[in-house]
Amino acid sequence: AIERFDVPLPIRVESTWPVIAGLFWVGIHRLLVMKAEAGTPRHLFPDDFDYPDSMVNLPWYAETWALWVALLVIVFGGYMIRKSRNSY
């Protein structure tokens, strides 16, 4: 109904797909972290001094920096692709 009266919508799939892909990556990264945490032994240390699970060394792809780097690459790369395709 809004487009019928020539009012453009600011949020469209064509303009937000990099953000949607980035959010999809956040979900995939969370699954990778859960899989990596499930593969680590829970009792690496004696029972009288138990460390929290956050101190267990995780693979590089399950680290927080990998989440942010990949998210920025996906979002900025997606907008660069969109910009280059719209410039023709």
Side-chain angles (χ1 to χ4, degrees):
I2 293 174
E3 289 184 4
R4 182 172 179 224
F5 299 110
D6 294 329
V7 177
L9 291 174
I11 298 175
R12 295 175 179 243
V13 174
E14 65 187 21
S15 63
T16 59
W17 70 264
V19 174
I20 293 169
L23 292 175
F24 187 71
W25 161 249
V26 170
I28 290 174
H29 184 265
R30 186 63 206 146
L31 290 174
L32 290 172
V33 169
M34 289 171 32
K35 182 68 175 171
E37 287 175 347
T40 58
R42 293 187 69 63
H43 297 290
L44 293 173
F45 307 104
D47 289 334
D48 59 342
F49 192 71
D50 198 15
Y51 287 98
D53 289 336
S54 63
M55 294 184 69
V56 176
N57 290 332
L58 295 175
W60 66 268
Y61 56 83
E63 296 289 338
T64 305
W65 64 266
L67 166 72
W68 288 106
V69 168
L71 180 66
L72 290 175
V73 167
I74 289 170
V75 172
F76 286 124
Y79 279 115
M80 294 304 286
I81 291 170
R82 183 178 175 272
K83 181 180 176 182
S84 67
R85 292 186 78 192
N86 286 343
S87 65
Y88 292 120

